Amino acid sequence: MLIVVLLLCLSIFLLHRKVSQEAKLLLKGEHVLITGGTSGIGLEFAKLCVLHGCYVTVVGRNATRLEEALQTLRKFSKRVGGREPAGYLFDVAEANSCENLFAQAEQKQGPVFLLICCAGSCIPGYFEDLDPKVFESQMRSNYFSAVYPVQSAFKRMKDRRRGHIVLTSSIGGLLGVFGYSAYSPSKFAVRGLAEVLYQECLPFNVGVSLVCPPDTKTPGFDEENKCKPRETLRLSQGAGLFSAEQVAKEAFKDIIYRRFLISIGLQGKMLVNVCSGFGPQVSLFQLLSMPLMRGICFFVQRQQEQIIKDEHLRRRA
Ligand SMILES: NC(=O)c1ccc[n+]([C@@H]2O[C@H](COP(=O)([O-])OP(=O)(O)OC[C@H]3O[C@@H](n4cnc5c(N)ncnc54)[C@H](OP(=O)(O)O)[C@@H]3O)[C@@H](O)[C@H]2O)c1
Ligand SMILES: *[C@@H]1O[C@H](CO)[C@@H](O)[C@H](O)[C@H]1NC(C)=O
């Protein structure tokens, strides 16, 4: 029985490796469009793409930030003798904007081959204190900002029978975390979208990846920390803090292999594994480590509950 299981695991593993190797993305000379490419993780993706010889387009809403990002990217592109990066000011949480954006960007840099959706924000707070409007604005900022550019990209990629779409969720999009009642559900929604898109893209040779970063030191993260409950701070400490460069670099490697569920760091990788559910793609590591990891989660959860109780007592005192 054990041998049969092991053989099964091995064959899935070999098959998976073969599939991922065949499907490796070749990005040189391809147009990569990055929403949220003017700051943090998105900007780091943009730098990597420039260094890989891609034709890069970045999108944001703030003109100062866009200009600064373009300056940085130009330096990178000069270094490798690449094509001048392009930038646009659009709110990608608006459906019409995205059609305009794609029309303009494709005219300049050619057909979009890789879309990286990195636009997003996080507003933490105690559930009962959050303004009801925040729940809507977080859906807009994180979910709709993914839906609209993907719609514009997908119909184009589908016609060309090539392309890859990257969505950005979060560890908080895989599990609920104290203080993220507005943020987490919007990132869960992104994950749901990615699983559906994976299937709908399949017949058209278009791939989908879902990146779930852990806490990452970015301008957005500094902003979020200004109003973060102490519980949230303490609960997330366990998973560590990563640099935007490291997150983009590690995720980029997995994107090139067209992996579906992607995270960074040991804890991040363990969490995406244990939260993989009915998602596509299975690895041997996942099959074998699942029961052990679920066991570890049990102890982590006990610890977390203790932190929440401690903080409650502290606040009452
Ligand atoms: N940092 C973390 O700890 C962390 C953890 C997990 C997941 N994430 C996710 O990773 C992504 C990047 O995060 P980050 O920390 O690098 O954020 P960041 O530094 O705040 O950068 C966010 C980028 O998105 C752009 N943006 C936001 N909303 C937009 C919209 N509606 N239309 C166009 N552009 C928009 C911003 O530009 P403008 O402001 O100029 O529009 C900026 O370029 C986000 O989706 C975030 O939720 C981050
Ligand atoms: C735009 O970005 C600049 C540079 O990061 C920042 O100083 C400014 O406050 C931002 N403006 C708005 C309206 O967010």
Side-chain angles (χ1 to χ4, degrees):
M1 181 61 193
L2 187 68
I3 291 174
V4 174
V5 172
L6 281 177
L7 279 178
L8 192 71
C9 293
L10 189 69
S11 48
I12 290 175
F13 174 64
L14 290 176
L15 195 73
H16 175 63
R17 255 209 354 196
K18 189 158 167 273
V19 168
S20 14
Q21 271 167 6
E22 276 170 2
K24 196 177 167 185
L25 297 177
L26 297 172
L27 290 176
K28 195 170 170 9
E30 299 285 0
H31 182 185
V32 183
L33 190 148
I34 306 166
T35 76
T38 63
S39 170
I41 302 170
L43 178 57
E44 293 302 324
F45 273 131
K47 291 180 191 168
L48 283 173
C49 290
V50 168
L51 293 179
H52 269 73
C54 305
Y55 304 159
V56 171
T57 300
V58 292
V59 190
R61 293 160 306 174
N62 178 320
T64 324
R65 215 170 281 151
L66 176 67
E67 204 31 64
E68 282 168 8
L70 281 174
Q71 263 172 27
T72 312
L73 293 174
R74 275 187 209 116
K75 276 187 212 139
F76 276 73
S77 108
K78 283 215 181 85
R79 212 196 287 166
V80 293
R83 190 192 282 201
E84 174 97 350
Y88 296 96
L89 290 173
F90 277 108
D91 182 346
V92 293
E94 302 273 348
N96 293 335
S97 303
C98 288
E99 269 305 301
N100 285 333
L101 164 67
F102 271 75
Q104 291 184 30
E106 293 207 324
Q107 189 152 33
K108 181 140 189 216
Q109 304 281 53
V112 172
F113 175 68
L114 176 63
L115 167 69
I116 304 182
C117 295
C118 234
S121 63
C122 174
I123 304 180
Y126 296 105
F127 177 66
E128 74 277 18
D129 296 345
L130 287 170
D131 188 315
K133 289 200 185 80
V134 169
F135 296 93
E136 275 183 44
S137 74
Q138 282 282 273
M139 282 306 280
R140 182 156 282 286
S141 178
N142 292 321
Y143 177 64
F144 293 114
S145 75
V147 171
Y148 300 136
V150 169
Q151 260 199 332
S152 296
F154 181 43
K155 55 185 173 209
R156 291 171 167 83
M157 292 176 176
K158 187 179 141 190
D159 288 344
R160 299 170 192 141
R161 294 288 194 277
R162 65 197 300 270
H164 196 83
I165 294 167
V166 178
L167 297 177
T168 309
S169 179
S170 167
I171 294 292
L174 300 171
L175 45 102
V177 181
F178 192 110
Y180 284 147
S181 55
Y183 172 76
S184 268
S186 70
K187 290 296 193 183
F188 269 71
V190 173
R191 187 215 177 146
L193 177 67
E195 289 193 5
V196 173
L197 284 173
Y198 184 90
Q199 293 196 344
E200 293 204 15
C201 287
L202 212 53
F204 304 105
N205 189 34
V206 175
V208 177
S209 294
L210 179 70
V211 182
C212 300
D215 279 356
T216 311
K217 181 90 178 102
T218 64
F221 185 72
D222 291 340
E223 198 54 41
E224 153 190 353
N225 269 345
K226 289 180 190 162
C227 52
K228 206 176 256 182
R230 266 180 63 94
E231 288 89 340
T232 317
L233 280 169
R234 284 189 63 191
L235 291 174
S236 46
Q237 257 162 14
L241 181 63
F242 291 79
S243 73
E245 191 187 353
Q246 192 181 355
V247 168
K249 244 190 194 148
E250 274 196 47
F252 198 71
K253 271 191 235 154
D254 282 350
I255 291 168
I256 285 181
Y257 281 105
R258 304 182 115 194
R259 304 242 152 82
F260 178 68
L261 197 50
I262 299 171
S263 193
I264 286 85
L266 185 65
Q267 279 99 332
K269 288 200 162 67
M270 280 173 66
L271 282 171
V272 294
N273 260 320
V274 86
C275 299
S276 54
F278 204 80
Q281 298 183 353
V282 185
S283 71
L284 181 69
F285 174 66
Q286 198 176 75
L287 282 174
L288 296 182
S289 60
M290 192 71 109
L292 176 68
M293 283 194 215
R294 192 65 189 97
I296 295 174
C297 289
F298 172 75
F299 290 103
V300 174
Q301 279 160 343
R302 291 278 293 270
Q303 254 180 356
Q304 292 191 330
E305 283 165 19
Q306 198 52 52
I307 290 178
I308 294 167
K309 284 178 191 155
D310 286 353
E311 285 298 325
H312 179 70
L313 288 176
R314 209 189 65 93
R315 274 201 290 159
R316 286 214 321 199

